[in-house]
Each structure stands twice: as structure tokens, then as C-alpha cells.
Amino acid sequence: MYDQARTVITGMIVAGILLIFLPIPLFFFFAGSLAYYIMALMCISTLFFIKKTGIYFGSTLCTLTVSYLVISYIIIKSGGVFSVHIATLYMLMMTGFWVNRRIGHCMIVVNIGALVWIYYSTEKQEVFSFHSDLISGKKYALLFHSCLTLFFGVFFSFVQKSYDKAKAQIRKKQLLEINSLNKLVKKRNQQLESMRQNIASDFHDETGNILAAINQQASILKIRLGNDHHLLPVLENITTSCESLYSSSKDFLWSINNDSDNPMVVFYHLIAFGQNFYNQFEISFSAKPLDKNYYHLLKIAPFASRNIILIFKEAMTNAAKHSGATKVTLKTILFNDYLRIVLQDNGTWKAIDPNSLHNGLQNMERRCKKSNFIFKRYTNNEGTCIEIYIPVSHTSPAPIINQ
Amino acid sequence: MQKKITIIEDNPYIRQGFKETLQSVERYLVINTYDNCEDAIANLDADLPDIVLMDIELPGMCGIEGTKIIRKKLPNTLILIITIFEDSEKVFKSLCAGASGYILKNSNFHMIINDIEEALAGGAPMSLSISRMVIESFQKQYDSPLSIREAEVLQYISEGKSYSKIADELFISKETVKTHTKNIYRKLEVASKEEAIRMANKYKWVKPRFELHD
């Protein structure tokens, strides 16, 4: 259908333009050539009609019918069955085959009918009197043009048929290829999925347990060494390293198991961290995500999630440990092409050890710079605010592809 | 009086770590440690633990199955799951089986002691993703067995609020919030038992002894 409509429209445009210019020289010899402009007008109006209604089949048939009348008129006026304008009939039939084979077949019949009509409308009996009666006569002209019509008709029909067949075969091959590609993609996705699950369960069964074992063994040493020993700081370092490895592995596993390019998913992860973290303290923590409708509509740069998570883990830790806050809220606001994530607390960040704050803030700023986030930190009458602007792209929902 | 504790964990280093940590506190007595559920269940009458620390992935019987059996034999014993992650489906299933809470394997001394103290005081921790699994599980039932307060607490946890925030909003103490979560787990256990019996009846796995009312 799409193919056909496209062919018709292209044909109409080209034919319309050619029909405006080509009859001009003919006009100097034969005034009736002006009638070709009716065909040009038909082509242009058909194009407008198709554009407005989308119906192309009926309008094409209408144009073809009018063309027959115009061409037959020109032929009859320019010498009937002997006219050179009869060539236009073959041209018209060819365009018919171009639209589709069935129309082409009809046009073989219509052409012969038109020839018969032209034959009876021809007043002259013969062209050249010096030829034999048989080949210069009206009857011979009719017979000749009917044979030529049949020849072109059958020829176009078969050429078109083999062309259609080849096209269908190519399409079939393409479909097969698409199917096999789809299957491959599906298989690959399944492999990826099982790989992800394997990584997660491997961590759970192996790495996680080993890490916990190291940590627990360090605990044993601490207990056995008692309080006052110069080895305690070393053990403390082992414990801290274990904990940070555990937490970064957890984030890594989270990112491979979740859609971490979706800022809403990242935000929920931050909420879960904040809730779990602030449950250890007497800190009232709550969060306000974007409306659920945005869930599938926003995307952040790949790998941006890691920095977002690390920045806010740092910020949330600072708020709890150094600012003396008792109330922390995390919220997200959509602002044009930026997603703002705001951490508001009711504490003061100034009152803490300047060295450790400096480091924390510097880390946050460095991470923001690396990911093209805008970093803001300010105090308001409620307390301290940490805010980052993350560039987001708006995605339309995935289109539904009909099989 | 000392609380008697049994540890079931197949990794010897982790097992030893928990044992020494707990033994260093006078209140606790580690009565026995096991690397599998079967031995622990066989010795249950002799050990009579007040608290069982239970790993999930174990050779032979898994921790979820073990939890069910111990809950049946010693209904007053607290079972705490020791796990790598607090958010797994397996942790949720253990809570459905009757566990009262969970302790992370990577916890330090203070966290382990703190988690056990809280469990003894009648509280239970609940993470955001566990709360969502709980909500989903109760949504499958025709009428929720939860009280209005419990439903509120569950809802607030699933929104990401901390215990202090929930306590502030509902004008209750942080401890009460944790007691509510513990009761939610108990109702979850009952609900999943009923669900199991309903399924078993439906598919005729067991001979129905009594009819359940919907």
C-alpha cells in the first residue's frame, strides 16, 4: 500500500511538471495540443486531493479516465487512427502498469476499445495513396496499433510480474533476517541477564561472605587485644576498608541490576539509603520523589548514577555526622532540562571540623564537575541545602511495533 | 539471666566472629554453634535457645525451612537471619517463615549487639524494599489483617521515611514504630501459613483438616 501510494504521488508530480512544458513546442504545429494542459491540471488537483484525503486509488482512476478522453480527443482531431499522437496511448498504458498490474491489464482492454472508437471516428480512409491499399488503409492502422498495444501490454505485464516476485522474495529474505537478528538480540539479552544474576549471586555467595569473614575476624582480634593496644588502629582500618568495599560492591550490584539511567530509579535508591542510614540516628528523614508519571520519561547520561549516589551518600553522611541536624529531607524537582536533587537539613555545616568538611565538599564538587552537574550549597532559614542540577533528556514512551 | 544463643552459619570465620562478639557481652551465652540446620534442629531440645542466629544459604536444609521448623518447635524463640544484604527476596521469605528480623553479616560489634537488643526489646527492622514486598504480599489477600496504625507505619516506611519521622508524624515513640513492624511480620507469618494451607488444599497436597473462611 505504502509503495503504491508513493509511486502514484511521485508519478503525478513528474507527469504534472512534464505536461506543463512539453506541449509548448507542439502547440505551434497543432493547437489541439493545448488539451494536454487538462491532464496537467488533473495531475496537480489529484495531488492536492491525495494530500487532503489520503485517498489515492479512486483519484488515480479518475485522472486516468480523463486522460483517455483528452488523448482520444487529440488523436481524433489530429488525424485519427493515422495520428502520431497514438503513441500517447502506449505511454498512458505504461503508467497504468506502473501503478499496478491489475490496472495495466484493464488498460490493455481500454486501449483497444479507444483504438476502435478512434477508428470509427477517423474520416480519412488512407494515408498515402501510392502505397498498396492493404497497408495504407484505416483497417491496417487499427490492426497494427492493436497488436502493438497487446505486445506492450503483455511485455509490461510479465516484466512487472517478475519484478514483483523479486521484490516479494527480497522482502521475505529481509523478514527472515530481521527475525534471526531479533532472536539473536533476545538470546544476547538473556545471556546478559543471566550474567547479571550470576554476578549478583556470586557476590552473595562468595565475595560477600569472604568480606564478612575478614570483618568478623578483625572483630575477634579487637576483642582479644582489649582496648589499649597500638594494633587497634590497624584493625580499625581493616574494618573501615571492609565496610567501604562492601558498600561500593552493593552500589555496583545495584547499578547492574537496575535501570540506572532512569533518574527516578536512582532517586529511589537514594531514598532507601537515606532511610536505612538515618534509622541509626534520631534524625527524622523523609523524601519527595517526582510524580510517578515521569517514571519512563526521563533519562540521565550513562554512568551518571554512580556519581549522583556517591555525592548524596557523602552529603547525607555529612548532614548526620557533622551538622547536628535532626531533620533531613531529600526532594527532586524537574526544572526544564535539569533534574534538581535537593538535600535540606536543619543543621549548620559550619560548626564542624573544617578539614573533614572541606574534603567532603571538595569531593562532591569534583564529582559534579566530572559529570557536568551544577553544584550549589547554601544556607537558608531552615538550615543547610545541598543541591545539584543533573541534565536529563526527555524520552517519549517506547513505540509499539506491530508484528 | 543470660540469654542462650545458637548460631547456625556455615562459614567458620563468620560463625567464630559472631560467637566471640556475643560471648564478650555478659548478657549472652552462646550455647552452641552449627554449620547446618539439621544438627541444630536435632539438638534443639537440649540447647533450648532464646535466640537463634540463622544463615539462609546452608548445605542441606536452607535457613527459611529451618526457621519454620524451629518456630513450630520453640514458638517463643527469637530467630534472627544473618545475611549479606538486607533487601533480598530470601530475607523476605525468612520473615514470612517466622524470623523476627535480620542482622547484616558485615556488621561490627556494636551493630550486632544493637540489633539483638532491639529484637529482645520487641522491635524489628524493616527496609524500604522489604516494606514493598510486604505491601505486595498483603495486597493479594481479600482483607488485610493489619490494623490502621500498622498499615500507616508500613505505608510510611515504603515512602522512605525514617523511624524518627514516622514516630513524629504518628505521635508515637520510635520503639513503638519498631513494635508495629514486628507485629506486621507476625501477621505476615500467619498470612503466609494460611496461604500455604489454602494452596495445599486447592491442589490437594494435604488432606484438609479444617476449612478456612475467606
Side-chain angles (χ1 to χ4, degrees):
Chain A
M1 281 294 264
Y2 173 76
D3 256 20
Q4 236 172 57
R6 232 189 117 108
T7 311
V8 167
I9 290 165
T10 322
M12 291 279 178
I13 293 170
V14 176
I17 293 168
L18 290 176
L19 279 169
I20 289 171
F21 294 106
L22 292 181
I24 296 171
L26 298 180
F27 178 69
F28 293 106
F29 297 91
F30 173 54
S33 302
L34 208 62
Y36 282 124
Y37 280 111
I38 300 176
M39 279 163 72
L41 212 72
M42 260 331 263
C43 285
I44 293 163
S45 49
T46 308
L47 277 174
F48 278 110
F49 182 77
I50 293 174
K51 196 180 170 191
K52 208 155 194 193
T53 61
I55 302 164
Y56 74 92
F57 202 76
S59 51
T60 308
L61 279 184
C62 187
T63 311
L64 286 174
T65 315
V66 172
S67 301
Y68 264 112
L69 291 175
V70 171
I71 290 168
S72 300
Y73 167 79
I74 293 171
I75 292 169
I76 290 164
K77 286 292 165 197
S78 62
V81 84
F82 301 115
S83 168
V84 285
H85 285 274
I86 283 194
T88 329
L89 276 182
Y90 302 126
M91 180 207 75
L92 197 63
M93 186 171 70
M94 205 177 76
T95 59
F97 272 107
W98 205 30
V99 177
N100 84 34
R101 217 140 50 89
R102 204 177 300 159
I103 290 185
H105 290 158
C106 291
M107 282 171 75
I108 300 175
V109 180
V110 179
N111 259 23
I112 290 172
L115 282 171
V116 171
W117 177 37
I118 291 161
Y119 172 79
Y120 283 110
S121 311
T122 311
E123 286 156 14
K124 250 199 266 178
Q125 286 306 306
E126 52 190 41
V127 243
F128 304 117
S129 51
F130 49 84
H131 275 299
S132 81
D133 282 355
L134 269 179
I135 60 161
S136 59
K138 215 167 92 166
K139 269 187 196 142
Y140 178 75
L142 173 67
L143 187 72
F144 174 78
H145 284 304
S146 302
C147 286
L148 213 54
T149 302
L150 279 175
F151 172 82
F152 273 129
V154 173
F155 178 80
F156 283 140
S157 173
F158 277 91
V159 169
Q160 188 86 4
K161 195 175 170 183
S162 73
Y163 173 70
D164 283 352
K165 226 176 175 175
K167 223 160 72 175
Q169 244 167 6
I170 290 169
R171 196 164 293 165
K172 207 171 152 189
K173 249 188 177 164
Q174 278 175 335
L175 270 178
L176 277 175
E177 215 149 277
I178 289 169
N179 273 342
S180 73
L181 272 176
N182 270 345
K183 265 182 206 159
L184 271 176
V185 169
K186 216 173 171 185
K187 205 175 149 194
R188 198 96 192 117
N189 275 344
Q190 276 167 352
Q191 278 175 342
L192 258 176
E193 187 53 37
S194 75
M195 211 170 85
R196 281 175 174 185
Q197 279 166 1
N198 280 343
I199 292 174
S201 70
D202 275 359
F203 180 84
H204 193 275
D205 299 346
E206 295 286 328
T207 325
N209 272 313
I210 294 168
L211 207 52
I214 298 171
N215 208 358
Q216 293 306 329
Q217 293 290 308
S219 284
I220 296 174
L221 264 182
K222 266 190 233 166
I223 293 164
R224 289 192 188 168
L225 284 171
N227 274 334
D228 188 40
H229 201 282
H230 65 286
L231 284 180
L232 274 181
V234 182
L235 283 173
E236 209 53 65
N237 289 344
I238 295 176
T239 310
T240 316
S241 302
C242 274
E243 273 160 14
S244 71
L245 180 56
Y246 168 79
S247 125
S248 63
S249 309
K250 216 172 144 181
D251 284 338
F252 170 70
L253 282 184
W254 173 84
S255 70
I256 62 164
N257 278 320
N258 288 279
D259 178 12
S260 53
D261 295 348
N262 181 341
M264 297 274 278
V265 172
V266 177
F267 192 73
Y268 284 126
H269 186 62
L270 283 181
I271 298 177
F273 170 81
Q275 181 186 43
N276 193 28
F277 178 69
Y278 289 120
N279 273 342
Q280 300 172 60
F281 311 96
E282 298 294 324
I283 291 176
S284 142
F285 170 78
S286 62
K288 200 168 172 262
L290 282 183
D291 191 80
K292 274 189 186 123
N293 291 333
Y294 285 106
Y295 196 86
H296 294 293
L297 298 181
L298 301 172
K299 234 177 176 48
I300 50 172
F303 312 113
S305 67
R306 193 180 145 70
N307 277 331
I308 298 174
I309 289 166
L310 288 173
I311 289 164
F312 279 99
K313 277 191 173 178
E314 182 110 48
M316 286 196 237
T317 312
N318 272 344
K321 294 197 171 159
H322 308 296
S323 83
T326 54
K327 211 176 134 188
V328 178
T329 49
L330 184 69
K331 64 180 170 185
T332 170
I333 306 151
L334 193 61
F335 181 75
N336 295 335
D337 287 337
Y338 285 96
L339 189 75
R340 285 166 59 195
I341 300 185
V342 188
L343 185 78
Q344 167 87 56
D345 67 39
N346 64 349
T348 41
W349 285 41
K350 282 175 198 158
I352 49 130
D353 173 16
N355 290 328
S356 68
L357 169 70
H358 195 60
N359 268 337
L361 273 174
Q362 247 180 3
N363 277 343
M364 281 183 240
E365 283 193 273
R366 191 171 45 80
R367 286 191 190 284
C368 281
K369 223 176 194 175
K370 220 163 89 182
S371 294
N372 285 330
F373 304 155
I374 300 167
F375 179 82
K376 281 182 184 172
R377 172 180 165 259
Y378 50 88
T379 46
N380 52 15
N381 46 13
E382 278 178 67
T384 310
C385 235
I386 291 287
E387 183 170 344
I388 63 172
Y389 287 62
I390 303 149
V392 286
S393 52
H394 298 257
T395 59
S396 48
I400 298 155
I401 298 160
N402 287 322
Q403 286 290 326
Chain B
M1 214 186 106
Q2 278 184 318
K3 294 281 177 192
K4 287 186 283 182
I5 299 178
T6 295
I7 301 169
I8 309 170
E9 159 68 62
D10 60 336
N11 184 311
Y13 306 122
I14 299 175
R15 196 168 63 228
Q16 192 193 7
F18 272 86
K19 186 181 170 185
E20 293 218 10
T21 298
L22 293 170
Q23 269 178 337
S24 69
V25 179
E26 220 170 285
R27 270 189 80 183
Y28 303 123
L29 172 70
V30 179
I31 194 129
N32 233 328
T33 63
Y34 299 95
D35 60 5
N36 67 77
C37 270
E38 287 83 348
D39 292 348
I41 289 165
N43 283 340
L44 215 52
D45 292 335
D47 292 343
L48 283 175
D50 298 302
I51 299 166
V52 175
L53 300 186
M54 172 82 87
D55 188 15
I56 301 175
E57 311 270 354
L58 289 163
M61 186 191 289
C62 75
I64 302 170
E65 206 49 47
T67 302
K68 271 185 204 160
I69 294 170
I70 296 172
R71 278 289 288 176
K72 215 172 186 178
K73 284 196 165 177
L74 302 173
N76 295 323
T77 297
L78 274 181
I79 302 170
L80 300 176
I81 299 298
I82 38 180
T83 175
I84 300 284
F85 294 135
E86 69 270 41
D87 287 345
S88 75
E89 179 113 30
K90 280 179 182 156
V91 172
F92 174 71
K93 281 187 180 149
S94 330
L95 292 165
C96 291
S100 298
Y102 44 84
I103 304 174
L104 293 181
K105 283 190 192 180
N106 209 36
S107 301
N108 59 33
F109 179 89
H110 300 287
M111 285 149 89
I112 294 173
I113 302 298
N114 192 38
D115 286 345
I116 294 177
E117 298 279 318
E118 257 174 23
L120 283 172
M126 190 187 276
S127 74
L128 195 141
S129 54
I130 294 276
S131 76
R132 294 205 168 153
M133 289 185 227
V134 174
I135 289 176
E136 208 176 294
S137 161
F138 279 128
Q139 266 166 358
K140 285 181 196 149
Q141 299 186 350
Y142 299 106
D143 20 50
S144 170
L146 299 183
S147 71
I148 294 171
R149 239 320 114 84
E150 285 158 0
E152 279 171 336
V153 168
L154 189 58
Q155 178 62 32
Y156 284 170
I157 292 174
S158 76
E159 285 170 11
K161 290 182 171 128
S162 69
Y163 294 139
S164 300
K165 175 80 182 170
I166 299 170
D168 286 351
E169 287 201 5
L170 296 177
F171 304 107
I172 53 180
S173 71
K174 208 172 153 182
E175 278 58 48
T176 314
V177 176
K178 287 185 191 168
T179 313
H180 280 308
T181 58
K182 187 185 170 129
N183 291 335
I184 293 169
Y185 286 145
R186 285 294 71 77
K187 289 184 178 175
L188 189 70
E189 184 193 355
V190 173
S192 38
K193 253 188 216 156
E194 282 177 359
E195 178 65 18
I197 293 166
R198 193 179 290 131
M199 292 290 273
N201 281 341
K202 193 173 167 191
Y203 296 106
K204 304 209 164 35
W205 290 333
V206 290
K207 234 176 158 180
R209 273 175 293 178
F210 55 89
E211 291 295 314
L212 273 169
H213 303 286
D214 277 343

